[in-house]
Amino acid sequence: MDSADGGQRVPATPQAGGGPGRVNWLPAALRRGLFRQLVRRPGASNQLLDAVLGLDVDRVSRQLAVQLAAGRRADWGEEYVWQEPGETGHPSTSYQDLVTLFDHLALPAGSRFVDLGCGFGRAGFVAALLCQDVCFVGYELVAERVAAAQRAAARLGLRQLVFETADLSRVQPVDADVYYVFCSFREDTGRRVLGLLQAVAQRRPIQLVVNTAMYGFEPEATPWLRLVAQVGIFSHYASVAVHAAAD
């Protein structure tokens, strides 16, 4: 990972809504430094920070919404695909909430963080740019979201980010130190994922960060985990529970 890009002049903040093309001409190091400055600034919107990263969320989301409305996405199978009224696509955890989560986790260098249902990979960009030497793997059902994340990561030179198109009703995630699950699965997929994570926990220490509102991940369903903390995710009026494998 690069340094804090100290000593380099950071260009004027791009306007939200301008799309990634507005800043893609800037050197990657300047965009990485600008993101680090803005992401902790109150009021910096997801749209603005997406533009700094070159993450083309709005355009791709509009295309997906049209396809979904037309019933043209059989490749999504029976898994529920998040769409909210008034949204152009995947409902978005704010970058500020993700910063709060990673500040709380304080991941040591060399950690692997796996996002099960990563959307456009925003958690990965926060991990890569604010954490020291953390490997991120994101699995996402929708290939267009994965492609957008891959393009942005490549342009920024963030080789520690891996995004894969995957149906978690069939794919086995890699071993990791932390697993993050925010969006709901179909019930049988959720049971399968929990079983896979329990098997990992029998081999190595893990943490599981999960939306407290998710069906199937309640404490009575996961006696092999112990609650460590809860962290507010205010952009969803929710919280995530941080669990560790029980001793």
Side-chain angles (χ1 to χ4, degrees), residues 48-78:
L48 171 63
L49 292 164
D50 287 341
V52 171
L53 294 172
L55 190 58
D56 201 4
V57 173
D58 282 351
R59 181 185 62 82
V60 172
S61 294
R62 285 192 295 269
Q63 293 173 350
L64 293 174
V66 170
Q67 293 174 14
L68 184 66
R72 299 203 304 266
R73 292 313 299 252
D75 57 309
W76 287 343
E78 297 179 26

Side-chain angles (χ1 to χ4, degrees), residues 133-189:
D133 192 27
V134 168
C135 173
F136 175 93
V137 179
Y139 296 101
E140 168 59 35
L141 183 65
V142 182
E144 289 87 345
R145 294 173 181 158
V146 171
Q150 290 172 336
R151 287 193 298 270
R155 290 167 180 160
L156 289 165
L158 300 176
R159 288 176 291 183
Q160 67 272 53
L161 296 181
V162 176
F163 300 103
E164 295 186 9
T165 303
D167 181 346
L168 290 168
S169 68
R170 299 181 178 91
V171 170
Q172 180 163 340
V174 297
D175 282 10
D177 302 289
V178 181
Y179 293 90
Y180 179 54
V181 185
F182 193 86
C183 292
S184 295
F185 299 117
R186 196 176 59 184
E187 185 176 350
D188 56 344
T189 302

Side-chain angles (χ1 to χ4, degrees), residues 214-234:
M214 279 188 64
Y215 175 78
F217 285 69
E218 301 89 349
E220 57 269 24
T222 54
W224 52 278
L225 293 171
R226 57 181 174 82
L227 180 65
V228 175
Q230 283 190 276
V231 181
I233 302 294
F234 299 107

Side-chain angles (χ1 to χ4, degrees), residues 28-212:
L30 287 182
R31 290 195 287 127
R32 293 192 299 260
L34 182 58
F35 179 86
R36 290 192 184 101
Q37 290 187 21
L38 291 176
V39 75
R40 293 186 181 274
R41 186 176 296 177
S45 68
N46 276 2
Q47 194 175 28
L48 171 63
L49 292 164
D50 287 341
V52 171
L53 294 172
L55 190 58
D56 201 4
V57 173
D58 282 351
R59 181 185 62 82
V60 172
S61 294
R62 285 192 295 269
Q63 293 173 350
L64 293 174
V66 170
Q67 293 174 14
L68 184 66
R72 299 203 304 266
R73 292 313 299 252
D75 57 309
W76 287 343
E78 297 179 26
E79 288 294 342
Y80 180 71
V81 179
W82 286 90
Q83 297 286 335
E84 291 183 345
E87 291 277 335
T88 55
H90 200 276
S92 305
T93 302
S94 75
Y95 281 102
Q96 286 76 20
D97 280 339
L98 291 169
V99 169
T100 299
L101 174 62
F102 281 102
D103 283 349
H104 175 84
L105 291 172
L107 299 176
S111 297
R112 175 180 283 167
F113 184 103
V114 168
D115 189 345
L116 301 175
C118 69
F120 286 92
R122 287 179 171 128
F125 290 100
V126 172
L129 290 167
L130 297 187
C131 302
Q132 180 65 37
D133 192 27
V134 168
C135 173
F136 175 93
V137 179
Y139 296 101
E140 168 59 35
L141 183 65
V142 182
E144 289 87 345
R145 294 173 181 158
V146 171
Q150 290 172 336
R151 287 193 298 270
R155 290 167 180 160
L156 289 165
L158 300 176
R159 288 176 291 183
Q160 67 272 53
L161 296 181
V162 176
F163 300 103
E164 295 186 9
T165 303
D167 181 346
L168 290 168
S169 68
R170 299 181 178 91
V171 170
Q172 180 163 340
V174 297
D175 282 10
D177 302 289
V178 181
Y179 293 90
Y180 179 54
V181 185
F182 193 86
C183 292
S184 295
F185 299 117
R186 196 176 59 184
E187 185 176 350
D188 56 344
T189 302
R191 287 197 300 267
R192 178 181 186 275
V193 168
L194 272 176
L196 293 172
L197 297 183
Q198 184 174 7
V200 175
Q202 292 171 351
R203 300 193 297 270
R204 57 180 295 167
I206 68 167
Q207 286 187 300
L208 174 60
V209 183
V210 62
N211 182 352
T212 55

